Amino acid sequence: MAQKSTIHKVELSVSDMDRHYYATHKLTVAKHPSETDERLMVRVLAFALNAHEQLEMTKGLSTDDEPDIWQKTLSGELELWVALGLPSEKVVRQSCSKSKEVIVYCYGGRTTEIWWEKIRSSTTRFANLQVVKISEEESAALGKHASRSMKVQVNVQDGDVMVSVDGSIIYVTPVEWKSAG
């Protein structure tokens, strides 16, 4: 019998001074049985860093042809495709052809650097691709604070991110490996 996803309720308050975006989102996040707490929290962080009233969590790991997070126009066109982890060159290429903008948040320590060295040269042709690295220490610290019901406050200023999860504070400094444009 297949395991079911675990539902996490997240009250996410975003204060992004870099983008002048301030809002609270009530998220219901389905954690796939094979998903780690670390990946779940990186997904919440990625949502916060791109927060918009039309941004949505997708089915994620359970669907091959969808990103983890996306934003669509009112007419259904993909504006933003957000992927987590270490997608293959093929997946990156397909994502870039489907969406106006693609952001990959990679995490996981040394494996991220090996992955990036392998696909870096093939990504230069994608002007709509941004690659952002979250350090292993920061993503692991986020993962330790995952719970079924969370209040998460994310403050962004000058590229630095402060994440407060139920009173515990984690500082995250996303490193941009490739910028779009």
Side-chain angles (χ1 to χ4, degrees):
M1 190 162 98
Q3 288 184 315
K4 293 184 178 184
S5 294
T6 306
I7 301 300
H8 292 257
K9 297 286 188 175
V10 181
E11 182 179 311
L12 175 63
S13 297
V14 179
S15 297
D16 189 333
M17 287 157 262
D18 293 352
R19 296 186 306 132
H20 304 289
Y21 182 87
Y22 309 94
T24 298
H25 299 267
K26 297 214 183 264
L27 304 174
T28 300
V29 184
K31 180 182 164 197
H32 191 273
S34 67
E35 186 173 23
T36 64
D37 286 344
E38 179 179 17
R39 187 178 194 286
L40 172 82
M41 293 303 286
V42 170
R43 196 159 39 122
V44 171
L45 175 64
F47 188 97
L49 295 176
N50 297 283
H52 185 277
E53 61 189 30
Q54 293 172 290
L55 195 66
E56 300 176 50
M57 295 277 188
T58 65
K59 294 177 184 171
L61 286 176
S62 62
T63 310
D64 290 337
D65 59 344
E66 288 184 2
D68 295 282
I69 301 167
W70 64 17
Q71 180 178 319
K72 293 182 175 184
T73 64
L74 295 175
S75 61
E77 297 169 359
L78 273 170
E79 284 189 313
L80 177 62
W81 179 291
V82 178
L84 304 179
L86 310 173
S88 69
E89 182 183 338
K90 178 184 176 187
V91 169
V92 170
R93 182 179 66 249
Q94 290 172 341
S95 304
C96 289
S97 70
K98 291 179 183 178
S99 182
K100 181 178 172 186
E101 183 181 357
V102 176
I103 304 174
V104 174
Y105 288 95
C106 56
Y107 65 98
R110 178 79 180 116
T111 56
T112 59
E113 293 162 16
I114 294 167
W115 166 81
W116 183 236
E117 287 303 315
K118 183 179 174 189
I119 75 160
R120 178 194 316 207
S121 61
S122 65
T123 64
T124 56
R125 67 180 184 227
F126 303 119
N128 62 336
L129 174 65
Q130 180 181 7
V131 178
V132 178
K133 180 188 181 241
I134 307 297
S135 81
E136 183 175 23
E137 296 79 20
E138 294 165 348
S139 63
L142 287 170
K144 289 177 185 171
H145 296 286
S147 66
R148 299 277 303 271
S149 178
M150 297 180 276
K151 286 190 178 193
V152 179
Q153 169 70 42
V154 177
N155 297 319
V156 181
Q157 184 173 13
D158 297 328
D160 291 323
V161 182
M162 184 187 80
V163 181
S164 173
V165 182
D166 296 324
S168 297
I169 296 175
I170 302 104
Y171 293 96
V172 179
T173 305
V175 177
E176 189 175 70
W177 277 351
K178 182 187 183 312
S179 62

